[in-house]
Amino acid sequence: MAAASPSARLATPRDAADAGRLLHDFNTEFDERTPGAEALAERIGPMIADGEATVLLAGEGPDGVAVLRFRRAIFEDGLYAYLEELYVAPRHRGEGLGRALLEAAMQAARERGAVFIELGTSEDDVAARGLYESAGFTNREGGTGGPVMFVYEREL
């Protein structure tokens, strides 16, 4: 009998500690600053409760997390979804959790009325780029034919 495909589920405020732990682990792994798992849990719990963020979890630990944020679109009739974070614990990579989270994020965005979804990742994160590209994401304006798109950021 074949193993069941991984799936993702919507987090509730009760899952804030798990989401905070995974988000902390994500930033720690990539040497990014983090206020700590507990502070992240305290922040993400109310965001889940009031719908400001849609958080998805995958795996038994859980071992993966995705965070979606939404904003009203100007040029479209609907919302834009931003996949703010997608992380799978290193020991569970290659098990399909990332794909399950990405597919669940796209479905959650559609259900919420999003007409477009965007994300950012680093150039050297080849595995993430491969996942996103295999799901139809592009880093080219106008699909596959335009110039490369860039995402810029700055601390304020």
Side-chain angles (χ1 to χ4, degrees), residues 39-75:
L40 288 164
E42 289 173 7
R43 292 176 187 170
I44 200 76
M47 294 169 81
I48 295 169
D50 69 13
E52 185 179 341
T54 297
V55 177
L56 299 146
L57 298 171
E60 294 183 20
D63 306 301
V65 63
V67 179
L68 277 168
R69 305 287 292 270
F70 297 90
R71 68 182 190 280
R72 287 187 283 179
I74 296 171
F75 295 104

PDB file of all heavy atoms in Angstrom, residues 39-75:
ATOM      1  N   ALA A  39       7.782  34.826  21.492  1.00  0.00           N
ATOM      2  CA  ALA A  39       7.309  36.126  20.993  1.00  0.00           C
ATOM      3  C   ALA A  39       6.582  35.965  19.660  1.00  0.00           C
ATOM      4  O   ALA A  39       5.555  36.607  19.428  1.00  0.00           O
ATOM      5  CB  ALA A  39       8.476  37.091  20.849  1.00  0.00           C
ATOM      6  N   LEU A  40       7.101  35.108  18.798  1.00  0.00           N
ATOM      7  CA  LEU A  40       6.434  34.872  17.520  1.00  0.00           C
ATOM      8  C   LEU A  40       5.055  34.254  17.737  1.00  0.00           C
ATOM      9  O   LEU A  40       4.090  34.627  17.073  1.00  0.00           O
ATOM     10  CB  LEU A  40       7.299  33.984  16.626  1.00  0.00           C
ATOM     11  CG  LEU A  40       8.534  34.678  16.059  1.00  0.00           C
ATOM     12  CD1 LEU A  40       9.522  33.665  15.517  1.00  0.00           C
ATOM     13  CD2 LEU A  40       8.137  35.686  14.996  1.00  0.00           C
ATOM     14  N   ALA A  41       4.959  33.327  18.677  1.00  0.00           N
ATOM     15  CA  ALA A  41       3.665  32.714  18.991  1.00  0.00           C
ATOM     16  C   ALA A  41       2.681  33.762  19.513  1.00  0.00           C
ATOM     17  O   ALA A  41       1.502  33.766  19.130  1.00  0.00           O
ATOM     18  CB  ALA A  41       3.846  31.596  20.019  1.00  0.00           C
ATOM     19  N   GLU A  42       3.172  34.659  20.371  1.00  0.00           N
ATOM     20  CA  GLU A  42       2.301  35.708  20.908  1.00  0.00           C
ATOM     21  C   GLU A  42       1.815  36.651  19.809  1.00  0.00           C
ATOM     22  O   GLU A  42       0.716  37.192  19.895  1.00  0.00           O
ATOM     23  CB  GLU A  42       3.042  36.495  21.989  1.00  0.00           C
ATOM     24  CG  GLU A  42       3.253  35.707  23.260  1.00  0.00           C
ATOM     25  CD  GLU A  42       4.131  36.427  24.272  1.00  0.00           C
ATOM     26  OE1 GLU A  42       4.487  37.616  24.051  1.00  0.00           O
ATOM     27  OE2 GLU A  42       4.475  35.798  25.283  1.00  0.00           O
ATOM     28  N   ARG A  43       2.607  36.840  18.779  1.00  0.00           N
ATOM     29  CA  ARG A  43       2.220  37.722  17.672  1.00  0.00           C
ATOM     30  C   ARG A  43       1.295  37.015  16.688  1.00  0.00           C
ATOM     31  O   ARG A  43       0.331  37.598  16.208  1.00  0.00           O
ATOM     32  CB  ARG A  43       3.465  38.219  16.935  1.00  0.00           C
ATOM     33  CG  ARG A  43       4.299  39.143  17.763  1.00  0.00           C
ATOM     34  CD  ARG A  43       5.571  39.534  17.060  1.00  0.00           C
ATOM     35  NE  ARG A  43       6.429  40.299  17.962  1.00  0.00           N
ATOM     36  CZ  ARG A  43       7.673  40.617  17.709  1.00  0.00           C
ATOM     37  NH1 ARG A  43       8.232  40.263  16.562  1.00  0.00           N
ATOM     38  NH2 ARG A  43       8.373  41.301  18.581  1.00  0.00           N
ATOM     39  N   ILE A  44       1.620  35.756  16.350  1.00  0.00           N
ATOM     40  CA  ILE A  44       0.882  35.069  15.293  1.00  0.00           C
ATOM     41  C   ILE A  44      -0.501  34.610  15.767  1.00  0.00           C
ATOM     42  O   ILE A  44      -1.442  34.564  14.973  1.00  0.00           O
ATOM     43  CB  ILE A  44       1.704  33.896  14.694  1.00  0.00           C
ATOM     44  CG1 ILE A  44       1.186  33.509  13.305  1.00  0.00           C
ATOM     45  CG2 ILE A  44       1.704  32.678  15.596  1.00  0.00           C
ATOM     46  CD1 ILE A  44       1.567  34.416  12.214  1.00  0.00           C
ATOM     47  N   GLY A  45      -0.642  34.294  17.049  1.00  0.00           N
ATOM     48  CA  GLY A  45      -1.943  33.837  17.560  1.00  0.00           C
ATOM     49  C   GLY A  45      -3.074  34.806  17.260  1.00  0.00           C
ATOM     50  O   GLY A  45      -4.089  34.431  16.664  1.00  0.00           O
ATOM     51  N   PRO A  46      -2.942  36.084  17.643  1.00  0.00           N
ATOM     52  CA  PRO A  46      -4.003  37.052  17.337  1.00  0.00           C
ATOM     53  C   PRO A  46      -4.175  37.296  15.831  1.00  0.00           C
ATOM     54  O   PRO A  46      -5.281  37.565  15.373  1.00  0.00           O
ATOM     55  CB  PRO A  46      -3.531  38.329  18.036  1.00  0.00           C
ATOM     56  CG  PRO A  46      -2.620  37.859  19.119  1.00  0.00           C
ATOM     57  CD  PRO A  46      -1.942  36.633  18.572  1.00  0.00           C
ATOM     58  N   MET A  47      -3.096  37.175  15.077  1.00  0.00           N
ATOM     59  CA  MET A  47      -3.202  37.360  13.627  1.00  0.00           C
ATOM     60  C   MET A  47      -4.031  36.243  12.997  1.00  0.00           C
ATOM     61  O   MET A  47      -4.795  36.474  12.056  1.00  0.00           O
ATOM     62  CB  MET A  47      -1.812  37.416  13.000  1.00  0.00           C
ATOM     63  CG  MET A  47      -1.022  38.648  13.435  1.00  0.00           C
ATOM     64  SD  MET A  47       0.708  38.559  12.951  1.00  0.00           S
ATOM     65  CE  MET A  47       0.568  39.082  11.259  1.00  0.00           C
ATOM     66  N   ILE A  48      -3.883  35.028  13.526  1.00  0.00           N
ATOM     67  CA  ILE A  48      -4.710  33.907  13.065  1.00  0.00           C
ATOM     68  C   ILE A  48      -6.156  34.153  13.480  1.00  0.00           C
ATOM     69  O   ILE A  48      -7.080  33.998  12.678  1.00  0.00           O
ATOM     70  CB  ILE A  48      -4.206  32.567  13.640  1.00  0.00           C
ATOM     71  CG1 ILE A  48      -2.821  32.235  13.101  1.00  0.00           C
ATOM     72  CG2 ILE A  48      -5.188  31.445  13.331  1.00  0.00           C
ATOM     73  CD1 ILE A  48      -2.140  31.074  13.823  1.00  0.00           C
ATOM     74  N   ALA A  49      -6.347  34.551  14.732  1.00  0.00           N
ATOM     75  CA  ALA A  49      -7.698  34.730  15.269  1.00  0.00           C
ATOM     76  C   ALA A  49      -8.508  35.771  14.507  1.00  0.00           C
ATOM     77  O   ALA A  49      -9.699  35.577  14.262  1.00  0.00           O
ATOM     78  CB  ALA A  49      -7.625  35.104  16.754  1.00  0.00           C
ATOM     79  N   ASP A  50      -7.864  36.873  14.124  1.00  0.00           N
ATOM     80  CA  ASP A  50      -8.626  37.933  13.452  1.00  0.00           C
ATOM     81  C   ASP A  50      -8.555  37.867  11.933  1.00  0.00           C
ATOM     82  O   ASP A  50      -9.072  38.742  11.248  1.00  0.00           O
ATOM     83  CB  ASP A  50      -8.225  39.312  13.969  1.00  0.00           C
ATOM     84  CG  ASP A  50      -6.823  39.746  13.578  1.00  0.00           C
ATOM     85  OD1 ASP A  50      -6.206  39.125  12.700  1.00  0.00           O
ATOM     86  OD2 ASP A  50      -6.334  40.725  14.181  1.00  0.00           O
ATOM     87  N   GLY A  51      -7.909  36.836  11.385  1.00  0.00           N
ATOM     88  CA  GLY A  51      -7.855  36.663   9.940  1.00  0.00           C
ATOM     89  C   GLY A  51      -6.808  37.512   9.241  1.00  0.00           C
ATOM     90  O   GLY A  51      -6.751  37.543   8.015  1.00  0.00           O
ATOM     91  N   GLU A  52      -5.976  38.194  10.001  1.00  0.00           N
ATOM     92  CA  GLU A  52      -4.918  39.009   9.399  1.00  0.00           C
ATOM     93  C   GLU A  52      -3.888  38.133   8.699  1.00  0.00           C
ATOM     94  O   GLU A  52      -3.266  38.552   7.721  1.00  0.00           O
ATOM     95  CB  GLU A  52      -4.242  39.867  10.467  1.00  0.00           C
ATOM     96  CG  GLU A  52      -3.228  40.820   9.913  1.00  0.00           C
ATOM     97  CD  GLU A  52      -2.592  41.690  10.991  1.00  0.00           C
ATOM     98  OE1 GLU A  52      -3.170  41.813  12.097  1.00  0.00           O
ATOM     99  OE2 GLU A  52      -1.518  42.229  10.722  1.00  0.00           O
ATOM    100  N   ALA A  53      -3.712  36.921   9.187  1.00  0.00           N
ATOM    101  CA  ALA A  53      -2.809  35.959   8.559  1.00  0.00           C
ATOM    102  C   ALA A  53      -3.524  34.621   8.470  1.00  0.00           C
ATOM    103  O   ALA A  53      -4.274  34.241   9.366  1.00  0.00           O
ATOM    104  CB  ALA A  53      -1.522  35.810   9.362  1.00  0.00           C
ATOM    105  N   THR A  54      -3.282  33.924   7.368  1.00  0.00           N
ATOM    106  CA  THR A  54      -3.726  32.547   7.224  1.00  0.00           C
ATOM    107  C   THR A  54      -2.481  31.698   7.386  1.00  0.00           C
ATOM    108  O   THR A  54      -1.514  31.855   6.642  1.00  0.00           O
ATOM    109  CB  THR A  54      -4.368  32.315   5.843  1.00  0.00           C
ATOM    110  OG1 THR A  54      -5.533  33.130   5.735  1.00  0.00           O
ATOM    111  CG2 THR A  54      -4.757  30.858   5.646  1.00  0.00           C
ATOM    112  N   VAL A  55      -2.509  30.827   8.380  1.00  0.00           N
ATOM    113  CA  VAL A  55      -1.360  29.990   8.683  1.00  0.00           C
ATOM    114  C   VAL A  55      -1.744  28.539   8.426  1.00  0.00           C
ATOM    115  O   VAL A  55      -2.825  28.097   8.816  1.00  0.00           O
ATOM    116  CB  VAL A  55      -0.895  30.183  10.145  1.00  0.00           C
ATOM    117  CG1 VAL A  55       0.254  29.251  10.489  1.00  0.00           C
ATOM    118  CG2 VAL A  55      -0.501  31.643  10.380  1.00  0.00           C
ATOM    119  N   LEU A  56      -0.850  27.839   7.750  1.00  0.00           N
ATOM    120  CA  LEU A  56      -1.050  26.429   7.445  1.00  0.00           C
ATOM    121  C   LEU A  56       0.071  25.633   8.085  1.00  0.00           C
ATOM    122  O   LEU A  56       1.216  26.099   8.154  1.00  0.00           O
ATOM    123  CB  LEU A  56      -1.033  26.217   5.934  1.00  0.00           C
ATOM    124  CG  LEU A  56      -2.125  26.980   5.200  1.00  0.00           C
ATOM    125  CD1 LEU A  56      -1.642  27.437   3.852  1.00  0.00           C
ATOM    126  CD2 LEU A  56      -3.361  26.140   5.083  1.00  0.00           C
ATOM    127  N   LEU A  57      -0.254  24.435   8.542  1.00  0.00           N
ATOM    128  CA  LEU A  57       0.730  23.545   9.154  1.00  0.00           C
ATOM    129  C   LEU A  57       0.687  22.199   8.448  1.00  0.00           C
ATOM    130  O   LEU A  57      -0.373  21.770   7.981  1.00  0.00           O
ATOM    131  CB  LEU A  57       0.432  23.352  10.638  1.00  0.00           C
ATOM    132  CG  LEU A  57       0.495  24.610  11.502  1.00  0.00           C
ATOM    133  CD1 LEU A  57      -0.044  24.321  12.895  1.00  0.00           C
ATOM    134  CD2 LEU A  57       1.910  25.152  11.563  1.00  0.00           C
ATOM    135  N   ALA A  58       1.839  21.532   8.380  1.00  0.00           N
ATOM    136  CA  ALA A  58       1.917  20.213   7.762  1.00  0.00           C
ATOM    137  C   ALA A  58       2.844  19.335   8.581  1.00  0.00           C
ATOM    138  O   ALA A  58       3.757  19.826   9.257  1.00  0.00           O
ATOM    139  CB  ALA A  58       2.422  20.326   6.323  1.00  0.00           C
ATOM    140  N   GLY A  59       2.617  18.052   8.502  1.00  0.00           N
ATOM    141  CA  GLY A  59       3.457  17.093   9.215  1.00  0.00           C
ATOM    142  C   GLY A  59       2.936  16.830  10.607  1.00  0.00           C
ATOM    143  O   GLY A  59       2.084  17.550  11.133  1.00  0.00           O
ATOM    144  N   GLU A  60       3.473  15.787  11.198  1.00  0.00           N
ATOM    145  CA  GLU A  60       2.973  15.349  12.500  1.00  0.00           C
ATOM    146  C   GLU A  60       3.464  16.187  13.658  1.00  0.00           C
ATOM    147  O   GLU A  60       2.848  16.196  14.709  1.00  0.00           O
ATOM    148  CB  GLU A  60       3.336  13.878  12.716  1.00  0.00           C
ATOM    149  CG  GLU A  60       2.622  12.963  11.744  1.00  0.00           C
ATOM    150  CD  GLU A  60       2.929  11.511  11.990  1.00  0.00           C
ATOM    151  OE1 GLU A  60       3.377  11.160  13.097  1.00  0.00           O
ATOM    152  OE2 GLU A  60       2.713  10.714  11.063  1.00  0.00           O
ATOM    153  N   GLY A  61       4.570  16.903  13.500  1.00  0.00           N
ATOM    154  CA  GLY A  61       5.184  17.655  14.585  1.00  0.00           C
ATOM    155  C   GLY A  61       4.422  18.858  15.110  1.00  0.00           C
ATOM    156  O   GLY A  61       4.372  19.064  16.291  1.00  0.00           O
ATOM    157  N   PRO A  62       3.844  19.734  14.316  1.00  0.00           N
ATOM    158  CA  PRO A  62       3.978  19.824  12.868  1.00  0.00           C
ATOM    159  C   PRO A  62       5.416  20.169  12.468  1.00  0.00           C
ATOM    160  O   PRO A  62       6.190  20.680  13.269  1.00  0.00           O
ATOM    161  CB  PRO A  62       3.007  20.926  12.463  1.00  0.00           C
ATOM    162  CG  PRO A  62       2.856  21.765  13.669  1.00  0.00           C
ATOM    163  CD  PRO A  62       3.063  20.866  14.848  1.00  0.00           C
ATOM    164  N   ASP A  63       5.717  19.871  11.210  1.00  0.00           N
ATOM    165  CA  ASP A  63       7.077  19.993  10.718  1.00  0.00           C
ATOM    166  C   ASP A  63       7.225  21.023   9.603  1.00  0.00           C
ATOM    167  O   ASP A  63       8.315  21.180   9.056  1.00  0.00           O
ATOM    168  CB  ASP A  63       7.562  18.626  10.221  1.00  0.00           C
ATOM    169  CG  ASP A  63       7.395  17.565  11.297  1.00  0.00           C
ATOM    170  OD1 ASP A  63       7.973  17.738  12.387  1.00  0.00           O
ATOM    171  OD2 ASP A  63       6.664  16.583  11.063  1.00  0.00           O
ATOM    172  N   GLY A  64       6.142  21.692   9.243  1.00  0.00           N
ATOM    173  CA  GLY A  64       6.186  22.718   8.208  1.00  0.00           C
ATOM    174  C   GLY A  64       5.122  23.761   8.449  1.00  0.00           C
ATOM    175  O   GLY A  64       4.078  23.482   9.050  1.00  0.00           O
ATOM    176  N   VAL A  65       5.400  24.976   7.978  1.00  0.00           N
ATOM    177  CA  VAL A  65       4.482  26.094   8.183  1.00  0.00           C
ATOM    178  C   VAL A  65       4.480  26.978   6.939  1.00  0.00           C
ATOM    179  O   VAL A  65       5.496  27.109   6.255  1.00  0.00           O
ATOM    180  CB  VAL A  65       4.881  26.931   9.427  1.00  0.00           C
ATOM    181  CG1 VAL A  65       6.249  27.565   9.275  1.00  0.00           C
ATOM    182  CG2 VAL A  65       3.824  27.966   9.766  1.00  0.00           C
ATOM    183  N   ALA A  66       3.335  27.548   6.650  1.00  0.00           N
ATOM    184  CA  ALA A  66       3.211  28.569   5.608  1.00  0.00           C
ATOM    185  C   ALA A  66       2.355  29.692   6.174  1.00  0.00           C
ATOM    186  O   ALA A  66       1.400  29.441   6.924  1.00  0.00           O
ATOM    187  CB  ALA A  66       2.559  27.996   4.347  1.00  0.00           C
ATOM    188  N   VAL A  67       2.715  30.924   5.842  1.00  0.00           N
ATOM    189  CA  VAL A  67       1.969  32.099   6.305  1.00  0.00           C
ATOM    190  C   VAL A  67       1.579  32.927   5.091  1.00  0.00           C
ATOM    191  O   VAL A  67       2.429  33.325   4.300  1.00  0.00           O
ATOM    192  CB  VAL A  67       2.811  32.967   7.272  1.00  0.00           C
ATOM    193  CG1 VAL A  67       2.027  34.193   7.714  1.00  0.00           C
ATOM    194  CG2 VAL A  67       3.266  32.148   8.472  1.00  0.00           C
ATOM    195  N   LEU A  68       0.294  33.160   4.955  1.00  0.00           N
ATOM    196  CA  LEU A  68      -0.262  33.983   3.879  1.00  0.00           C
ATOM    197  C   LEU A  68      -0.793  35.277   4.455  1.00  0.00           C
ATOM    198  O   LEU A  68      -1.413  35.276   5.524  1.00  0.00           O
ATOM    199  CB  LEU A  68      -1.452  33.281   3.224  1.00  0.00           C
ATOM    200  CG  LEU A  68      -1.209  32.258   2.154  1.00  0.00           C
ATOM    201  CD1 LEU A  68      -2.503  31.506   1.876  1.00  0.00           C
ATOM    202  CD2 LEU A  68      -0.698  32.899   0.893  1.00  0.00           C
ATOM    203  N   ARG A  69      -0.581  36.366   3.727  1.00  0.00           N
ATOM    204  CA  ARG A  69      -1.166  37.665   4.076  1.00  0.00           C
ATOM    205  C   ARG A  69      -1.907  38.164   2.849  1.00  0.00           C
ATOM    206  O   ARG A  69      -1.550  37.832   1.719  1.00  0.00           O
ATOM    207  CB  ARG A  69      -0.076  38.650   4.475  1.00  0.00           C
ATOM    208  CG  ARG A  69       0.854  38.166   5.597  1.00  0.00           C
ATOM    209  CD  ARG A  69       0.220  38.158   6.971  1.00  0.00           C
ATOM    210  NE  ARG A  69      -0.061  39.469   7.460  1.00  0.00           N
ATOM    211  CZ  ARG A  69       0.758  40.222   8.180  1.00  0.00           C
ATOM    212  NH1 ARG A  69       1.936  39.770   8.518  1.00  0.00           N
ATOM    213  NH2 ARG A  69       0.410  41.413   8.572  1.00  0.00           N
ATOM    214  N   PHE A  70      -2.909  38.971   3.042  1.00  0.00           N
ATOM    215  CA  PHE A  70      -3.760  39.444   1.949  1.00  0.00           C
ATOM    216  C   PHE A  70      -3.867  40.960   1.956  1.00  0.00           C
ATOM    217  O   PHE A  70      -3.815  41.586   3.009  1.00  0.00           O
ATOM    218  CB  PHE A  70      -5.167  38.841   2.079  1.00  0.00           C
ATOM    219  CG  PHE A  70      -5.181  37.348   1.957  1.00  0.00           C
ATOM    220  CD1 PHE A  70      -5.031  36.541   3.069  1.00  0.00           C
ATOM    221  CD2 PHE A  70      -5.339  36.755   0.722  1.00  0.00           C
ATOM    222  CE1 PHE A  70      -5.035  35.158   2.952  1.00  0.00           C
ATOM    223  CE2 PHE A  70      -5.347  35.375   0.589  1.00  0.00           C
ATOM    224  CZ  PHE A  70      -5.188  34.576   1.710  1.00  0.00           C
ATOM    225  N   ARG A  71      -4.046  41.503   0.752  1.00  0.00           N
ATOM    226  CA  ARG A  71      -4.331  42.932   0.628  1.00  0.00           C
ATOM    227  C   ARG A  71      -5.257  43.120  -0.570  1.00  0.00           C
ATOM    228  O   ARG A  71      -5.249  42.315  -1.501  1.00  0.00           O
ATOM    229  CB  ARG A  71      -3.059  43.747   0.485  1.00  0.00           C
ATOM    230  CG  ARG A  71      -2.320  43.541  -0.809  1.00  0.00           C
ATOM    231  CD  ARG A  71      -1.018  44.367  -0.839  1.00  0.00           C
ATOM    232  NE  ARG A  71      -0.409  44.377  -2.137  1.00  0.00           N
ATOM    233  CZ  ARG A  71       0.339  43.423  -2.663  1.00  0.00           C
ATOM    234  NH1 ARG A  71       0.559  42.328  -1.964  1.00  0.00           N
ATOM    235  NH2 ARG A  71       0.850  43.539  -3.860  1.00  0.00           N
ATOM    236  N   ARG A  72      -6.042  44.186  -0.535  1.00  0.00           N
ATOM    237  CA  ARG A  72      -6.932  44.477  -1.658  1.00  0.00           C
ATOM    238  C   ARG A  72      -6.113  44.848  -2.887  1.00  0.00           C
ATOM    239  O   ARG A  72      -5.131  45.582  -2.794  1.00  0.00           O
ATOM    240  CB  ARG A  72      -7.894  45.604  -1.314  1.00  0.00           C
ATOM    241  CG  ARG A  72      -8.968  45.138  -0.337  1.00  0.00           C
ATOM    242  CD  ARG A  72      -9.994  46.196  -0.141  1.00  0.00           C
ATOM    243  NE  ARG A  72      -9.411  47.211   0.754  1.00  0.00           N
ATOM    244  CZ  ARG A  72     -10.035  48.295   1.132  1.00  0.00           C
ATOM    245  NH1 ARG A  72     -11.251  48.561   0.700  1.00  0.00           N
ATOM    246  NH2 ARG A  72      -9.451  49.142   1.941  1.00  0.00           N
ATOM    247  N   ALA A  73      -6.538  44.350  -4.024  1.00  0.00           N
ATOM    248  CA  ALA A  73      -5.862  44.652  -5.284  1.00  0.00           C
ATOM    249  C   ALA A  73      -6.372  45.977  -5.835  1.00  0.00           C
ATOM    250  O   ALA A  73      -7.544  46.328  -5.661  1.00  0.00           O
ATOM    251  CB  ALA A  73      -6.111  43.542  -6.296  1.00  0.00           C
ATOM    252  N   ILE A  74      -5.502  46.711  -6.484  1.00  0.00           N
ATOM    253  CA  ILE A  74      -5.891  47.966  -7.127  1.00  0.00           C
ATOM    254  C   ILE A  74      -6.346  47.717  -8.558  1.00  0.00           C
ATOM    255  O   ILE A  74      -7.362  48.230  -8.996  1.00  0.00           O
ATOM    256  CB  ILE A  74      -4.714  48.964  -7.111  1.00  0.00           C
ATOM    257  CG1 ILE A  74      -4.367  49.339  -5.676  1.00  0.00           C
ATOM    258  CG2 ILE A  74      -5.051  50.212  -7.933  1.00  0.00           C
ATOM    259  CD1 ILE A  74      -3.094  50.149  -5.539  1.00  0.00           C
ATOM    260  N   PHE A  75      -5.607  46.897  -9.287  1.00  0.00           N
ATOM    261  CA  PHE A  75      -5.879  46.694 -10.705  1.00  0.00           C
ATOM    262  C   PHE A  75      -6.726  45.465 -11.002  1.00  0.00           C
ATOM    263  O   PHE A  75      -6.977  45.143 -12.143  1.00  0.00           O
ATOM    264  CB  PHE A  75      -4.559  46.631 -11.492  1.00  0.00           C
ATOM    265  CG  PHE A  75      -3.810  47.933 -11.455  1.00  0.00           C
ATOM    266  CD1 PHE A  75      -2.704  48.087 -10.644  1.00  0.00           C
ATOM    267  CD2 PHE A  75      -4.244  49.016 -12.207  1.00  0.00           C
ATOM    268  CE1 PHE A  75      -2.018  49.293 -10.600  1.00  0.00           C
ATOM    269  CE2 PHE A  75      -3.562  50.231 -12.160  1.00  0.00           C
ATOM    270  CZ  PHE A  75      -2.451  50.364 -11.368  1.00  0.00           C
TER     271      PHE A  75
END
